[in-house]
Amino acid sequence: MDRLTSMAVFVKASDLGSFASAAEAMGMSPQMVAKHVVFLEDRLGATLLHRTTRRQSLTDVGRAYYDRCKLVLAEAEAADTLALDMRSRPEGMLRVNAPVTFGSFSLAPFVTRYLDRYPGMQIDLTLNDRFIDPLEEGFEVMIRVGEVDDTSLVAHPLAPYRLIACASPAYLHRRGTPETPADLERHDCLAYGYWSPSIPCRWLFSRNGKAEEVRANGRFRSNDWKALLHAAIAGFGVTLGPESILNGEIAAGRLVRVLPDYEGPARPMHILHPAGRRPTVKLRSFIDAVIEEFGPKGKR
């Protein structure tokens, strides 16, 4: 006999108080209920139920076995449900939040491929660089650059967000190629952020475990890195930007990496969702796809 089925019959007979009631509930004969219980007793070498013509009761062994059977059956049910969920196609709307630069350059192209793969899905993608409370603002999943110390969120690591310095061939021909980070202080640096003109922007590089911080001076700064990228391609200075994006510009010959012997800044990046709730099929599908694409061992 199937042991899980016998366990289910035993639990039902214990819950309902008689073989007849269990037989009616499970669509089998009282004799078959008895066979399932006897099968378990023979297997265990112990009596599970005291039975008389008027009543039945659990033995001490039967009571302990009953408790364990309920746990096993619950886990088996959960495993079946998970397998069925995984076979389901994700459908519905998913609200996603991500940083502006990563979102527009890297995540948006990925989202279109994801939607092509799952026609039943819809993605509402919001891009900003400010702190987001997902529960308060209704986001089901977020991507964030930086450390995560919020225990209300489940964080899955992605590949670090690495920055490199680049400039156009024309700019380097005109101004020369910096050999050390300190050389950048004599170049036009295209600074990203919200800094006031009175507050200097500083770029951090490292080599052989030694960090070097330089002041990034220049005539053009912006809170939109796309604007700085266009300026760099046009020959207006050196930009510090995401390696995953700039590698494409380097391969196309529009930009050249400077200071290749130095590591630029790198920050951890995660995909996050609120804790305390079971992920839906659509959420799990999106998270798995993002990790496959952008994870530590992903395609990028």
Side-chain angles (χ1 to χ4, degrees):
M1 286 185 173
D2 177 75
R3 197 178 352 164
L4 280 178
T5 302
S6 296
M7 286 179 175
V9 171
F10 165 66
V11 167
K12 185 65 70 175
S14 301
D15 287 341
L16 298 181
S18 72
F19 285 8
S21 297
E24 183 178 355
M26 302 193 73
M28 61 179 64
S29 67
Q31 292 77 14
M32 183 56 68
V33 171
K35 285 183 179 180
H36 278 290
V37 174
V38 169
F39 165 74
L40 292 176
E41 290 179 330
D42 289 344
R43 179 182 178 84
L44 297 170
T47 301
L48 300 176
L49 286 165
H50 286 307
R51 300 181 290 279
T52 68
T53 55
R54 294 182 175 228
R55 62 187 296 272
Q56 70 178 31
S57 61
L58 288 166
T59 65
D60 289 341
V61 173
R63 190 172 295 105
Y65 191 67
Y66 167 86
D67 291 337
R68 289 294 180 177
C69 282
K70 292 192 74 171
L71 292 174
V72 169
L73 292 170
E75 285 297 323
E77 180 67 23
D80 287 348
T81 300
L82 178 61
L84 290 172
D85 283 350
M86 291 180 68
R87 289 174 56 193
S88 302
R89 300 286 291 181
E91 294 183 351
M93 172 69 74
L94 190 68
R95 296 199 65 215
V96 182
N97 185 272
V100 174
T101 300
F102 174 80
S104 58
F105 280 92
S106 299
L107 188 62
F110 159 81
V111 164
T112 58
R113 295 193 299 274
Y114 175 83
L115 292 175
D116 187 54
R117 181 179 176 185
Y118 298 110
M121 283 295 297
Q122 304 169 54
I123 299 291
D124 181 349
L125 176 62
T126 299
L127 304 180
N128 53 49
D129 293 323
R130 64 182 176 84
F131 172 80
I132 292 294
D133 183 329
L135 296 177
E136 190 173 296
E137 303 195 35
F139 291 105
E140 296 164 88
V141 61
M142 305 182 303
I143 294 176
R144 276 292 168 266
V145 176
E147 298 291 345
V148 177
D149 56 5
D150 189 339
T151 57
S152 69
L153 299 173
V154 177
H156 304 274
L158 302 177
Y161 195 69
R162 301 185 185 279
L163 305 182
I164 60 174
C166 291
S168 72
Y171 175 87
L172 297 175
H173 178 75
R174 185 174 71 252
R175 297 288 300 274
T177 300
E179 300 293 336
T180 68
D183 292 342
L184 289 174
E185 296 192 358
R186 297 189 295 274
H187 283 262
D188 287 322
C189 295
L190 301 166
Y192 171 79
Y194 299 90
W195 300 285
S196 162
S198 62
I199 301 176
C201 171
R202 298 189 178 278
W203 290 351
L204 184 67
F205 296 88
S206 64
R207 186 171 68 170
N208 300 327
K210 180 181 178 182
E212 296 185 48
E213 187 179 75
V214 297
R215 182 168 177 164
N217 300 308
R219 296 187 296 150
F220 183 28
R221 63 174 60 186
S222 175
N223 67 343
D224 185 341
W225 188 76
K226 294 188 293 293
L228 302 178
L229 175 61
H230 293 315
I233 293 172
F236 275 83
V238 180
T239 186
L240 184 71
E243 181 180 31
S244 58
I245 299 169
L246 288 172
N247 279 341
E249 301 298 330
I250 294 170
R254 289 186 288 268
L255 292 176
V256 175
R257 181 173 179 178
V258 300
L259 305 177
D261 296 331
Y262 290 82
E263 293 289 332
R267 301 181 68 193
M269 185 164 66
H270 298 83
I271 183 167
L272 312 130
H273 64 88
R277 61 177 65 175
R278 181 181 177 186
T280 60
V281 172
K282 64 179 180 179
L283 176 58
R284 188 166 57 244
S285 166
F286 185 78
I287 290 173
D288 289 345
V290 168
I291 292 173
E292 181 183 2
E293 183 81 8
F294 302 106
K297 298 180 181 179
K299 299 175 184 176
R300 295 180 183 272

